[in-house]
């Protein structure tokens, strides 16, 4: 039989069997695909790919993906939070976190207190666990006793009922009633159990979802746009701690991470402060306050605020920064009119009063004392410097004892309302105006020196000199006949030396100088001059170096930042370093939003101040001390008044030319007028000088030059 078997051969390539000698059929070669068909296929695949890409990347798909991810992560986050809460309740992990947080913050006393609490918690937990070991046998005893007492009680109740009804069947009635009640409860439970088992997990899932949604456990990318935008959101401890953690300071990030949920322990209470909130943050060990101050913009962005809405200052506590965080947009709202405008009966007192200047960031009224304080106000051009300085002068003008001598080296009429109120008013930007301003300041020096030489205990009326745009005076190239420059910052400068003399001794005799200047530099505001001011005020500046010149290193290191104010948007906002204003403990400066008093309102306030005074003739020039004519000068200070008290004439002469007349007394005045026909005479019991008499004397006097030549 084996001879009749025909072997078959398997083709390994095709898997078919053939007889020996047969030639396997060669499959026909595949026909080539036409180019047109290939292009159509490529186009179809590209279209499908584009459609798939559009579907995947469309906003609707993204929204759906975010929706699924968000709510799923809410459930996961809620589960994690609930489990953590349960774990915290059963273990000492909460106490351990607080210990780590206190150690990270460097507060070892608090760490020891938490360690003591942990020890007490562990002791109480051990006591509870020991009680649980006895619980089974106690439970058996309790059940046995309870069952026996219950059955006995029901049996006694049945006996009472049987006696009452005279029927023995009532003996078991209470027990039967209890058995039926238990059966009914089991029946209801059996009916409810099925739906409860079905609904219960979903209710638990919903509860976990609610916890996760409340705590916002989904990442930012999964939140919808309206939920992701936290700009203007209320400030909470978690927001502040997260903002500090993400500042990019490695030691702080590490410490806060170790604190876990106890990170809020580094914060003091969040207090409502005006149009924002205030909170003190104690920094972890190894983190300096300067590092936080240098990251103000990043901190503001982390808090969902603009840079100008976050202020960082340093309180008295070590390693602590005080954050003031404005409500979103609150600093762009006006603060309202000045009390000088709204209260027609507003009064001033140079010695004991304070000028109602504006509001601090907390929304409290900010008032500045000007008693025996030199003032320096700086800032960029057109940011409200003159208006802020003028508001102080307008308040002080309501004290009738104060005399003003003003030089406005801008000369555009910002101080026009003081014409008839100030005894000297110079307005203009030229070198000639600088020369007059210099002579005016030298007159202040002469009056100061006269007062210093008066007998001890002499009471002086306040004399305030104001030089607005003082940088023009410092930069003036003009020189006098002796080749001494009026401007400059050297000892040869007449203006510089006059300012220095007033700064050195003026306050002791109530001769004060206020200056306003732009863009402080060593050239237009010398170091000795800026450091001589008791009250230093700065509006917005361009650089930190200018801020240091304006307010001093101590104020800037303590958080003063006028260079971070917004140009044009923060007009009238000033940073003040002065003992004359209430500054929070531990801080070196305060930010004030000043009231704006426009020219018309300023004129009304000035008119009220003028009504408090007798007629004042404002001199618009100042005579050079080395060339003067007493008779002509007396006629000048008499102005248009018919007669003037001799004591007022002496004051006005000292204002006109302090160097020449600063030390004059009534005897000097009488000596000059004796024999002229214009001698002082009595009117209503007081010595006066008549204008008409003196005018006739000068009209008939031969033109022989200055009377000072004969003196």
């Amino acid at each position: 039989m084996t001879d009749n078997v025909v072997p078959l051969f398997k083709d390994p390539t095709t898997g078919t069997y053939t007889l020996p000698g047969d030639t396997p059929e060669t499959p026909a070669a595949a026909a080539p695909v036409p180019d047109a068909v290939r292009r159509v296929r490529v186009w179809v695949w590209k279209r499908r790919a584009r459609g798939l890409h559009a579907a995947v990347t469309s906003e609707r798909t993204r929204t759906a993906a975010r929706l699924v991810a968000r709510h799923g992560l809410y459930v996961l986050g809620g589960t994690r939070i609930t489990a953590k809460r349960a774990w915290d309740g059963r273990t000492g992990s909460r106490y351990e976190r607080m210990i780590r947080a206190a150690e990270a913050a460097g507060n070892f006393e608090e760490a020891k207190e938490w360690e003591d609490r942990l020890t007490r918690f562990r002791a109480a937990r051990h006591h509870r666990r020991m009680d649980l070991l006895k619980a089974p046998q106690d439970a058996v005893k309790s059940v046995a006793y309870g069952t026996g007492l219950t059955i006995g009680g029901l049996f006694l109740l049945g006996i009472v009922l049987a006696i009452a009804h005279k029927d023995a069947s009532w003996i078991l009635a209470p027990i039967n009633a209890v058995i039926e009640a238990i059966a009914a409860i089991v029946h209801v439970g059996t009916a409810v159990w099925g739906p409860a088992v079905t609904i219960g997990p979903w209710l638990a899932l919903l509860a976990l979802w609610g916890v996760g949604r409340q705590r916002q456990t989904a990442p930012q990318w999964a939140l919808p746009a309206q939920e992701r935008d936290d700009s203007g959101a209320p400030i909470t401890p978690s927001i502040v701690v997260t903002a500090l953690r993400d500042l990019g300071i490695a030691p702080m990030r590490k410490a806060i991470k170790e604190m876990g949920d106890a990170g809020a322990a580094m914060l003091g209470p969040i207090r409502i402060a005006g149009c924002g909130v205030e909170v003190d943050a104690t920094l972890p060990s190894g983190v300096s306050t300067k590092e936080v101050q240098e990251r103000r913009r990043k901190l503001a962005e982390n808090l969902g605020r603009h840079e100008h809405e976050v202020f960082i200052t340093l309180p008295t506590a070590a390693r602590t920064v005080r954050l003031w965080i404005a409500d979103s947009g609150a600093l762009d709202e006006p603060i309202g009119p000045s009390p000088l405008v709204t209260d027609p009966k507003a009064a001033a007192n140079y010695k004991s009063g304070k000028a109602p200047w504006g509001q601090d960031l907390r929304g409290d009224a900010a008032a500045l004392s000007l008693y025996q304080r030199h003032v320096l106000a700086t800032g960029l051009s057109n940011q409200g410097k003159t208006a802020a300085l003028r508001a102080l002068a307008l308040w002080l003008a309501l004290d009738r004892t104060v005399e003003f001598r003003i030089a406005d080296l801008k000369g555009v009429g910002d101080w026009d309302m003081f014409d008839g109120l100030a005894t000297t008013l110079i307005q203009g930007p030229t070198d000639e105006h600088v020369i007059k301003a210099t002579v005016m300041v030298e007159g202040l020096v002469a009056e100061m020196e006269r007062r210093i030489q008066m007998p001890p205990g002499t009471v002086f009326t306040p004399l305030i000199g104001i030089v607005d745009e003082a940088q023009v005076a410092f930069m003036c190239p003009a020189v006098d006949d002796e080749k001494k420059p009026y401007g400059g910052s050297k000892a040869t400068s007449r203006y510089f030396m006059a300012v220095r003399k007033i700064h050195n001794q003026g306050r002791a005799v109530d001769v004060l100088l206020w200056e306003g200047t732009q863009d402080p530099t060593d050239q237009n505001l010398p170091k000795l001059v800026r450091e001589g001011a008791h009250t230093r005020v700065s509006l917005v500046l361009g650089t930190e170096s200018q801020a240091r010149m304006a307010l001093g290193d101590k104020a800037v290191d303590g958080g003063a930042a006028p260079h971070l104010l917004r140009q044009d948007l923060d007009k009238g906002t000033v940073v003040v370093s002065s003992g004359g204003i209430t500054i929070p403990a531990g801080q070196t400066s305060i930010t004030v939003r000043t009231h704006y008093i426009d020219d018309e309102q300023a004129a009304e306030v000035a008119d009220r101040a003028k009504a408090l005074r007798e007629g004042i003739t404002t001199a618009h020039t100042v005579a050079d001390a080395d060339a003067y004519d007493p008779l002509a000068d007396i006629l000048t200070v008499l102005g248009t008044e018919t007669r003037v008290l001799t004591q007022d004439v002496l004051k006005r002469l000292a204002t006109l030319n302090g160097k020449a007349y600063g030390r004059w007394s009534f005897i000097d005045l009488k000596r000059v007028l004796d024999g002229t026909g214009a001698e002082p005479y009595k009117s209503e019991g007081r010595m006066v000088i008549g204008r008409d008499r003196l005018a006739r004397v000068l009209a008939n006097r031969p033109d022989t030059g200055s009377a000072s030549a004969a003196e």
Side-chain angles (χ1 to χ4, degrees), residues 506-564:
R507 65 179 298 273
V509 289
D510 288 315
V511 176
L512 306 175
L513 182 64
W514 299 0
E515 291 181 287
T517 183
Q518 296 180 14
D519 300 332
T521 65
D522 285 329
Q523 288 72 39
N524 61 27
L525 187 59
K527 183 174 185 293
L528 292 177
V529 171
R530 59 181 185 253
E531 291 185 350
H534 305 103
T535 295
R536 299 171 73 168
V537 179
S538 178
L539 291 93
V540 57
L541 290 172
T543 64
E544 181 180 333
S545 62
Q546 288 182 326
R548 291 184 180 277
M549 291 182 183
L551 299 175
D553 292 337
K554 182 178 180 181
V556 175
D557 291 339
H563 54 291
L564 296 181

Side-chain angles (χ1 to χ4, degrees), residues 44 55 61 76 185 256 270 353 376 506 548 557 624 693:
V44 170
T61 304
L76 292 177
I185 292 172
I256 293 177
I270 296 180
L376 172 64
R548 291 184 180 277
D557 291 339
D624 194 319
R693 296 182 182 184

Side-chain angles (χ1 to χ4, degrees), residues 111-123:
K112 186 177 182 301
E113 181 181 349
W114 281 109
E115 188 174 1
D116 293 340
R117 293 185 183 182
L118 176 59
T119 302
R120 292 195 295 270
F121 169 79
R122 286 174 173 168

Side-chain angles (χ1 to χ4, degrees), residues 440-689:
M440 181 195 80
V441 177
E442 289 176 339
L444 295 175
V445 175
E447 173 63 13
M448 176 191 73
E449 293 174 344
R450 183 188 71 82
R451 293 184 177 190
I452 291 174
Q453 298 179 53
M454 295 293 286
T458 303
V459 178
F460 304 106
T461 57
L463 174 57
I464 310 297
I466 302 175
V467 180
D468 198 6
E469 305 297 337
Q471 76 278 357
V472 177
F474 285 112
M475 300 297 288
C476 178
V479 295
D480 61 14
D481 295 338
E482 298 179 1
K483 304 301 181 183
K484 287 185 177 181
Y486 287 94
S489 58
K490 297 181 179 180
T492 55
S493 167
R494 290 179 59 176
Y495 180 80
F496 171 77
M497 290 306 297
V499 171
R500 286 295 300 143
K501 289 178 181 178
I502 295 175
H503 281 177
N504 288 339
Q505 295 178 297
R507 65 179 298 273
V509 289
D510 288 315
V511 176
L512 306 175
L513 182 64
W514 299 0
E515 291 181 287
T517 183
Q518 296 180 14
D519 300 332
T521 65
D522 285 329
Q523 288 72 39
N524 61 27
L525 187 59
K527 183 174 185 293
L528 292 177
V529 171
R530 59 181 185 253
E531 291 185 350
H534 305 103
T535 295
R536 299 171 73 168
V537 179
S538 178
L539 291 93
V540 57
L541 290 172
T543 64
E544 181 180 333
S545 62
Q546 288 182 326
R548 291 184 180 277
M549 291 182 183
L551 299 175
D553 292 337
K554 182 178 180 181
V556 175
D557 291 339
H563 54 291
L564 296 181
L565 296 173
R566 301 168 297 168
Q567 187 171 357
D568 296 330
L569 297 178
D570 287 327
K571 281 187 176 182
T573 298
V574 299
V575 182
V576 186
S577 177
S578 171
I581 192 169
T582 302
I583 297 178
Q587 297 180 198
T588 56
S589 64
I590 186 171
T591 301
V592 176
R593 303 172 68 198
T594 61
H595 296 295
Y596 176 66
I597 304 176
D598 61 30
D599 291 346
E600 182 178 348
Q601 294 170 338
E604 294 176 359
V605 177
D607 288 341
R608 297 207 305 266
K610 293 173 187 177
L612 300 175
R613 293 165 165 79
E614 298 177 358
I616 292 179
T617 302
T618 298
H620 296 278
T621 185
V622 181
D624 194 319
D626 296 328
Y628 61 95
D629 183 347
L631 293 180
D633 289 344
I634 294 172
L635 182 63
T636 299
V637 300
L638 291 178
T640 59
E641 297 177 66
T642 304
R643 54 184 175 271
V644 178
L645 295 174
T646 53
Q647 60 184 12
D648 290 339
V649 172
L650 289 172
K651 290 181 180 179
R652 297 179 186 183
L653 285 173
T655 300
L656 181 66
N657 191 337
K659 185 175 180 180
Y661 305 117
R663 300 181 182 180
W664 269 32
S665 64
F666 175 74
I667 296 175
D668 298 307
L669 182 63
K670 184 174 182 301
R671 174 175 54 81
V672 169
L673 295 175
D674 278 349
T676 63
E679 296 86 351
Y681 64 94
K682 278 192 176 182
S683 175
E684 298 179 356
R686 305 183 69 180
M687 297 300 293
V688 299
I689 296 176

Side-chain angles (χ1 to χ4, degrees), residues 26 280 289 337 408 637:
T26 303
D280 288 352
T289 55
D408 175 17
V637 300

Side-chain angles (χ1 to χ4, degrees), residues 160-296:
V160 172
L161 292 174
I163 295 172
H165 291 84
K166 299 180 180 179
D167 185 356
S169 63
W170 281 92
I171 295 175
L172 298 178
I175 297 176
N176 291 332
V178 171
I179 293 173
E180 291 175 358
I182 293 174
I185 292 172
V186 171
H187 179 73
V188 172
T190 304
V192 173
W193 178 254
V197 170
T198 303
I199 299 174
W202 293 103
L203 293 176
L205 198 65
L206 182 62
L208 295 175
W209 175 86
V211 173
R213 187 176 185 279
Q214 183 182 14
R215 294 290 297 272
Q216 291 290 295
T217 57
Q220 289 293 313
W221 61 266
L223 297 177
Q226 64 270 21
E227 293 186 33
R228 290 199 305 270
D229 183 13
D230 58 354
S231 177
I235 300 299
T236 62
S238 61
I239 289 177
V240 178
V241 173
T242 302
L244 292 172
R245 182 198 66 192
D246 296 338
L247 274 183
I249 304 174
M252 179 180 288
R253 183 177 186 85
K254 180 180 178 182
I256 293 177
K257 186 176 180 181
E258 292 176 352
M259 293 179 189
D261 291 344
M266 65 188 294
L267 304 180
I270 296 180
R271 305 176 294 272
I272 299 296
C275 56
V277 297
E278 187 177 73
V279 59
D280 288 352
T282 302
L283 304 180
S285 179
V287 182
S288 70
T289 55
K290 185 176 180 61
E291 289 179 293
V292 177
Q293 286 181 302
E294 291 174 347
R295 290 168 171 79
R296 174 180 167 184

